[in-house]
Amino acid sequence: MKNIRDIVASMDMKVEDPQSVNWCRHRKHFFILSSAGKPIYTRYGDESRISGYTGVIQAIVSFFVDAEDSIRCINAGNHKFVFLLKGPLYLVAVSRTNESETQLRDQLNYLYNQILSVLTSTQLTRIFEQRINYDLRLLLGGTEPFLDNLATSMSDEPGFMLGSIQCVRMNKELRDKIGSILQIVKSKDLLYAMLIANNKLITLLRPKRHSLHSADLHLIFNMVNGSSTFRSAESWTPICLPKFNNKGFLHAYVCYITGNVCLLLISPDKDKFFELSDAKSIIVEELTSCNALQAIEEVSQSEGYSIADVGAAGLRHFIYKSRKHVQYTSPTFMAPYNDPHEKQKLFKLYRYTHDRMHSRIRPLKVHYYVSPTETILGWITSTFELYAAFGPLISKSALTNSSHTLLKWIKKEEENLFILNSQVF
């Protein structure tokens, strides 16, 4: 849950004057506007006070449209301007971070999908067909915290960069037991059932023919984490999952069954609240009777595993993505990366390595990078992606041995680190 300091800081960002020094100091800005130049959202400051900027953006885009072209990116000194044109909406990232054009455009796509989760593409198109200069803020009022939370999360959570989600490390037998209890929900109108703790997935049940895209899961996590109101009571909220169907709404029953663990039941039927609320009561009763609820809460409160558990000499930190399961795992940040500044520096190196590995011009299978403070390894195969940090003086042979030790440990712990087979209704 966000503390008071975080909330106050977020409020301060929204009252910043776009002409102020503080506003200009931010290393990355996001702007969303309509094709008519109407401001819709800005990460910092009040969007009603940036009409001058949105007017310039609209003019630039229109210049290229008139020339039967489409603008994608402008590099100006240390700044990168990345454009994403989605019908009646223009989304722009202005950044002086080390993020690439592709990485920034992926983030703009997430912001666009966040808007679709509230409106659907059908509604969005209809609104602007009827009135090209419509002020979309009238319909998005109250959703700014979700856009803000998403904009912040994309800067320091690996899942967005990797296009994957993280699972709670949990004993396989406990995870299977939880999944069996969720099977109690026998509604033909239930699409998905899941438990989430601290932006990590505990378990997921789905229909046999309907998987759930990681991008949609990120929107679900963002919805739950972006507002503290879900923690106070049972909630029933419409949500569009763009990768599932960007033209219609599903309906999500959201309830925290412990302090950290959230139950989500998603149905296409808007009249299923009371049925799913009754199902929640049964689920909680069953989880309590077999002591699984207490075990879930204990696991959710733990900080995860440490790099010492791996036992790989010289290894400081890593991110491992299972490409088959579209899930990643990573240890807690230990010294020197328990310092926020050092943690941010490490993530910048991971981003740089990821961009080099996934370059459209010359993609790499292995990337080896030595900085004054650490050695970074990037390694991609058909089954995994690995980004690992070692000390700056480690030899290549020692690095190779440690990497293989890590892979053996992940293989041994695979059933606890990942959901290998999603249970189906």
Side-chain angles (χ1 to χ4, degrees):
M1 183 185 299
K2 292 183 177 179
N3 57 36
I4 298 299
R5 184 179 298 175
D6 293 334
I7 294 172
V8 171
S10 179
M11 291 173 64
D12 288 342
M13 290 175 184
K14 284 302 178 186
V15 298
E16 287 181 356
D17 186 343
Q19 307 300 323
S20 69
V21 173
N22 284 340
W23 191 84
C24 295
R25 281 178 179 163
H26 293 297
R27 296 181 60 81
K28 182 166 62 176
H29 288 266
F30 291 112
F31 302 102
I32 304 176
L33 60 147
S34 71
S35 57
K38 287 270 189 180
I40 295 172
Y41 171 78
T42 178
R43 175 64 184 95
Y44 301 107
D46 183 351
E47 61 273 358
S48 65
R49 302 172 70 180
I50 62 164
S51 57
Y53 293 103
T54 57
V56 171
I57 292 171
Q58 194 269 343
I60 293 172
V61 173
S62 296
F63 174 82
F64 282 86
V65 170
D66 292 342
E68 298 183 351
D69 199 353
S70 179
I71 187 170
R72 292 177 58 85
C73 182
I74 298 174
N75 291 299
N78 294 327
H79 287 80
K80 191 179 268 84
F81 297 75
V82 178
F83 297 77
L84 179 68
L85 312 183
K86 289 286 189 178
L89 299 188
Y90 298 162
L91 299 94
V92 182
V94 181
S95 171
R96 53 189 177 94
T97 66
N98 74 327
E99 292 161 297
S100 68
E101 176 188 344
T102 299
Q103 290 169 339
L104 291 169
R105 185 167 290 106
D106 287 343
Q107 294 174 23
L108 292 175
N109 267 306
Y110 270 109
L111 290 172
Y112 176 68
N113 285 338
Q114 178 64 50
I115 290 177
L116 291 190
S117 74
V118 178
L119 290 176
T120 81
S121 64
T122 302
Q123 282 185 318
L124 197 61
T125 301
R126 187 188 310 122
I127 288 168
F128 285 101
E129 282 179 347
Q130 294 174 352
R131 187 176 170 189
I132 189 65
N133 63 344
Y134 182 78
D135 187 349
L136 200 62
R137 290 175 297 172
L138 298 174
L139 291 179
L140 292 177
T143 65
E144 293 89 350
F146 299 107
L147 288 164
D148 290 343
N149 189 66
L150 184 61
T152 300
S153 299
M154 290 187 298
S155 294
D156 55 21
E157 289 191 12
F160 294 97
M161 177 182 74
L162 298 172
S164 61
I165 55 103
Q166 187 174 17
C167 295
V168 174
R169 187 191 182 197
M170 176 181 290
N171 183 278
K172 179 181 181 298
E173 287 70 29
L174 175 59
R175 204 187 307 270
D176 289 344
K177 182 188 293 186
I178 297 167
S180 297
I181 291 173
L182 289 185
Q183 293 274 8
I184 292 171
V185 186
K186 296 292 185 182
S187 172
K188 63 181 177 63
D189 292 314
L190 185 64
L191 273 175
Y192 303 106
M194 68 190 77
L195 285 174
I196 297 170
N198 304 320
N199 273 347
K200 298 179 183 178
L201 188 63
I202 294 174
T203 192
L204 169 67
L205 272 71
R206 60 177 179 81
K208 195 173 276 188
R209 298 183 180 180
H210 290 289
S211 60
L212 194 54
H213 197 283
S214 61
D216 285 341
L217 273 169
H218 280 302
L219 290 179
I220 291 171
F221 290 1
N222 187 62
M223 176 186 74
V224 172
N225 190 53
S227 173
S228 60
T229 57
F230 288 115
R231 292 179 176 269
S232 58
E234 296 174 291
S235 300
W236 184 242
T237 182
I239 182 171
C240 171
L241 300 178
K243 296 294 184 181
F244 177 80
N245 176 16
N246 65 8
K247 297 180 180 179
F249 282 112
L250 299 174
H251 299 269
Y253 171 85
V254 185
C255 180
Y256 273 83
I257 59 176
T258 74
N260 292 303
V261 180
C262 181
L263 171 69
L264 276 95
L265 304 173
I266 298 178
S267 170
D269 191 334
K270 62 182 176 62
D271 298 318
K272 290 294 180 180
F273 170 79
F274 293 105
E275 180 180 327
L276 297 182
S277 178
D278 291 341
K280 181 270 299 186
S281 299
I282 297 172
I283 289 170
V284 171
E285 183 179 342
E286 291 292 324
L287 289 171
T288 304
S289 66
C290 66
N291 297 320
L293 191 61
Q294 181 180 350
I296 295 171
E297 178 64 7
E298 289 174 356
V299 170
S300 70
Q301 288 179 350
S302 70
E303 294 184 357
Y305 61 93
S306 73
I307 199 69
D309 296 333
V310 179
L315 182 63
R316 292 180 173 181
H317 190 266
F318 71 89
I319 303 172
Y320 175 97
K321 173 185 174 180
S322 169
R323 302 185 77 179
K324 177 181 178 181
H325 301 103
V326 202
Q327 299 165 33
Y328 79 95
T329 185
S330 187
T332 56
F333 287 93
M334 309 295 287
Y337 305 121
N338 51 354
D339 177 79
H341 180 66
E342 293 300 321
K343 177 181 175 182
Q344 186 181 49
K345 281 173 57 180
L346 175 64
F347 193 61
K348 286 178 67 175
L349 290 172
Y350 281 155
R351 275 199 311 247
Y352 170 77
T353 304
H354 178 272
D355 183 54
R356 290 297 306 272
M357 304 288 286
H358 291 270
S359 170
R360 293 180 180 178
I361 299 172
R362 189 184 176 190
L364 304 174
K365 297 297 183 184
V366 177
H367 184 258
Y368 181 78
Y369 176 81
V370 181
S371 78
T373 53
E374 52 261 301
T375 298
I376 302 294
L377 171 68
W379 186 7
I380 295 180
T381 72
S382 59
T383 57
F384 69 81
E385 291 185 31
L386 175 63
Y387 304 88
F390 301 84
L393 302 179
I394 191 169
S395 66
K396 285 190 177 181
S397 60
L399 179 146
T400 301
N401 291 335
S402 290
S403 298
H404 285 293
T405 299
L406 168 61
L407 295 178
K408 288 178 182 177
W409 181 84
I410 290 174
K411 184 64 178 177
K412 185 182 72 172
E413 292 288 323
E414 189 176 35
E415 291 183 330
N416 301 328
L417 295 171
F418 305 114
I419 298 174
L420 301 183
N421 296 293
S422 297
Q423 297 191 35
V424 298
F425 289 113

